[in-house]
Amino acid sequence: MERLEQGGLVHPGKQNDDPFPPFVGDLFVGDALALDAVNTERLVKGTRQDLLMSPDAFAHWWHQAQLHSPPLESEQGNQEGLIADPGVLDAFKVLRTALRHLFEDVMAEREIHEENLAPLNDILKMGSQVLEQTEPGTFRLRDHPDAQPQARVLLPIVRSAIWLLTEGTRSRLRTCHNPRCHLFFYDRTRSATRQWCCLKCMDRARSARRYKQVKEHESMQ
């Protein structure tokens, strides 16, 4: 059977007619791997929709996520081949739920519940970091996961979350200003004034607001 290598994941060729989600550049708007992971659940007409309904879809997302992640996070990802299986996807979804609750609580300045930290700490136990020299006098930390397959994918996501929580500026952790979106992003702009996940979302929100204003004006006449 044909095997397709996508980033750090190797998965069998498609065995059904389920299409991959249309992962394009504007899907990865979080500017942090952990936030892009949370954003694989989206609001569609007020209902949360899971974009990763199969191991193949997850393999495709992982490949695209590595291309769009900040360089440091991409370097920490393990590039060895990995079979995409339901167990890896299930572990990812447990982590995704914990990260969503964790980021929501941090932004709302609410008490952090230990049950949302436990999945992150369990994943950290799957590996360690090693120091390697990239060129004379230049060094970097790289994840060194154990044999558990999900560690190769989940460790870089958890490292990204740790950076956001320990080194990032909390006021720059935000959700999109569009009430129909609410995707997470980390504002890396110099002015720290970013309000929208992407320009398309800003345009849609402003168009909807103008349409509502026109309708309200017409109803008053």
Side-chain angles (χ1 to χ4, degrees), residues 19-188:
F20 286 153
F23 291 127
V24 292
D26 62 0
L27 179 65
F28 294 90
V29 298
D31 281 323
L33 181 58
L35 299 179
D36 285 331
V38 175
N39 288 342
T40 57
E41 284 187 311
R42 305 212 144 192
L43 285 179
V44 179
K45 296 182 179 179
T47 302
R48 189 171 294 170
Q49 183 180 78
D50 191 348
L51 299 182
L52 305 180
M53 297 300 293
S54 71
D56 280 342
F58 178 63
H60 184 59
W61 174 82
W62 176 244
H63 170 63
Q64 294 295 321
Q66 289 179 314
L67 297 178
H68 289 91
S69 295
L72 177 60
E73 296 176 353
S74 299
E75 290 174 2
Q76 289 182 333
N78 190 291
Q79 299 297 317
E80 297 177 9
L82 178 67
I83 297 296
D85 60 54
V88 177
L89 179 56
D90 289 344
F92 169 84
K93 291 186 178 183
V94 171
L95 174 61
R96 180 179 63 185
T97 298
L99 289 175
R100 174 179 293 279
H101 293 322
L102 185 59
F103 291 139
E104 288 175 343
D105 288 344
V106 167
M107 288 189 292
E109 297 184 349
R110 294 192 294 259
E111 180 182 358
I112 303 301
H113 298 287
E114 287 298 323
E115 60 263 30
N116 294 324
L117 290 177
L120 281 70
N121 287 324
D122 289 342
I123 291 166
L124 287 175
K125 295 174 184 177
M126 295 179 181
S128 59
Q129 287 187 310
V130 295
L131 183 66
E132 66 178 14
Q133 183 173 223
T134 57
E135 57 185 67
T138 302
F139 305 89
R140 69 175 179 182
L141 286 173
R142 181 174 62 84
D143 281 325
H144 183 68
D146 65 12
Q148 299 183 64
Q150 58 262 43
R152 298 177 183 174
V153 176
L154 302 186
L155 272 171
I157 297 174
V158 171
R159 302 285 188 202
S160 171
I162 290 173
W163 185 91
L164 290 169
L165 296 173
T166 61
E167 298 185 47
T169 303
R170 291 191 179 186
S171 62
R172 289 177 177 263
L173 183 61
R174 299 171 184 168
T175 56
C176 182
H177 199 58
N178 185 345
R180 296 185 177 182
C181 176
H182 286 301
L183 289 184
F184 289 85
F185 64 86
Y186 185 76
D187 184 2
R188 297 181 186 268

Side-chain angles (χ1 to χ4, degrees), residues 183-196:
L183 289 184
F184 289 85
F185 64 86
Y186 185 76
D187 184 2
R188 297 181 186 268
T189 63
R190 182 173 298 179
S191 60
T193 56
R194 179 181 171 188
Q195 293 182 307
W196 315 91

